[in-house]
Amino acid sequence: MKLLRYGPVGAEKPGLQDDAGNIRDLSGHVDDIAGAALSDESLDKLRAIDPASLPVVEGSPRIGACVGHVGKFICIGLNYADHAAESGMALPEEPVIFFKATSAISGPNDDVEIPRTSVKSDWEVELGVVIGKHTKYVSREDALDHVAGYCVVNDLSERDFQLHRSGQWVKGKSADTFGPIGPWLVTRDEVADPQNLPMYLEVNGHRYQDGSTKTMHFDVATVISHLSQFMSLQPGDVISTGTPPGVGMGQNPQTYLKPGDKMELGIEGLGVQKQNVIAG
């Protein structure tokens, strides 16, 4: 299933995209794509519904983040060998963990706002993992059974805030609109191998990132198992698993986002995001 949330900011409704590309309303069956609705039992019930029996959503509504009420927005840094190299950083011995504020979450096609004092706002296409059940001390072998589905994430980053303003990376990661998620939450049964997904990102039509989850340093199962040793993961938590090379910081000369830019990014089978960059 391709689950989504549509409608105005803060008033999104649950839906799914059918095979013909229509949005179908799920609000008669589930309150939101969030929390308990992400359990295996709930997803099985939704999967049993004939999409043709659901109301078609007319027009072209705004698409919101594909999961609501996110409790934790966890990110993994330096998780692609070639991205670590372009960043001038060594590959870590354990996954590097940092958080984005959940207030950074936005819809996949919402405008991206450059913070007022930004000088180095950057892009990062990433595979997002949405947890579907309580997860604590899970083994790597069982970790993927705890996934509700996968999605596209743009882990936007202000590099000056991140690297030169003291403290942890969270300063450079948490500006409003710096966490577009979606368009869809693609349930795990439709993703045969999360370690074989081509991904790309373009700015103003130029392709900067052209990679694959094949080159992850720590795979999805390892990341989930590792995180669960330090904190419990809850339904609706989002894990952003790192980015391939091609970020602005890695260009020669370095290239950063500015108002008026247009981004397009996607992951095979998980959909495409398109964002206009505006002044914050």
Side-chain angles (χ1 to χ4, degrees):
M1 291 183 295
K2 293 180 173 67
L3 301 175
L4 55 84
R5 300 167 69 248
Y6 67 94
V9 176
E12 293 90 348
K13 295 181 179 180
L16 62 77
Q17 180 167 287
D18 66 20
D19 291 340
N22 299 308
I23 297 175
R24 300 278 182 165
D25 180 26
L26 276 174
S27 57
H29 298 270
V30 65
D31 291 336
D32 201 353
I33 308 300
L38 299 169
S39 70
D40 288 345
E41 295 76 17
S42 175
L43 294 178
D44 284 343
K45 290 178 181 178
L46 295 180
R47 201 172 284 114
I49 299 169
D50 179 4
S53 70
L54 298 169
V56 173
V57 177
E58 301 294 343
S60 301
R62 170 187 173 269
I63 304 300
C66 61
V67 59
H69 308 292
V70 175
K72 293 191 287 295
F73 195 173
I74 310 167
C75 301
I76 307 300
L78 303 175
N79 200 26
Y80 287 70
D82 29 16
H83 171 57
E86 74 173 351
S87 301
M89 300 180 185
L91 275 174
E93 295 182 5
E94 292 189 3
V96 173
I97 302 167
F98 64 93
F99 288 79
K100 291 175 85 85
T102 55
S103 55
I105 293 172
S106 59
N109 304 316
D110 291 347
D111 291 342
V112 166
E113 299 178 8
I114 301 298
R116 291 181 181 178
T117 58
S118 167
V119 292
K120 295 181 178 180
S121 286
D122 206 346
W123 56 80
E124 296 187 14
V125 60
E126 305 202 0
L127 173 65
V129 179
V130 179
I131 296 297
K133 65 180 73 171
H134 179 81
T135 303
K136 189 174 183 178
Y137 299 127
V138 71
S139 68
R140 181 185 178 279
E141 292 69 27
D142 294 334
L144 295 186
D145 292 339
H146 291 244
V147 173
Y150 301 92
C151 61
V152 182
V153 174
N154 191 351
D155 175 24
L156 287 139
S157 310
E158 212 297 338
R159 303 300 187 187
D160 188 58
F161 298 175
Q162 177 187 358
L163 301 173
H164 304 299
R165 296 291 295 272
S166 299
Q168 299 179 338
W169 289 359
V170 66
K171 281 184 182 178
K173 297 286 188 173
S174 295
D176 290 353
T177 75
F178 266 32
I181 298 176
W184 315 311
L185 172 64
V186 180
T187 50
R188 73 171 187 269
D189 58 300
E190 292 199 15
V191 180
D193 182 2
Q195 303 309 146
N196 187 24
L197 299 174
M199 58 208 306
Y200 75 94
L201 184 144
E202 298 176 353
V203 180
N204 300 329
H206 178 78
R207 183 159 296 198
Y208 284 95
Q209 293 189 276
D210 195 356
S212 170
T213 57
K214 285 181 179 179
T215 63
M216 274 189 191
H217 182 44
F218 300 107
D219 64 17
V220 172
T222 298
V223 165
I224 294 171
S225 176
H226 182 78
L227 287 170
S228 77
Q229 310 306 306
F230 303 100
M231 67 193 82
S232 63
L233 304 174
Q234 312 299 330
D237 285 350
V238 175
I239 305 168
S240 200
T241 56
T243 198
V247 300
M249 182 175 62
Q251 305 303 309
N252 186 16
Q254 293 182 342
T255 303
Y256 294 109
L257 294 167
K258 62 186 184 303
D261 286 344
K262 297 181 182 296
M263 286 183 284
E264 179 181 313
L265 58 147
I267 300 177
E268 185 174 280
L270 304 185
V272 171
Q273 300 184 356
K274 294 182 178 182
Q275 295 128 13
N276 294 322
V277 180
I278 65 173

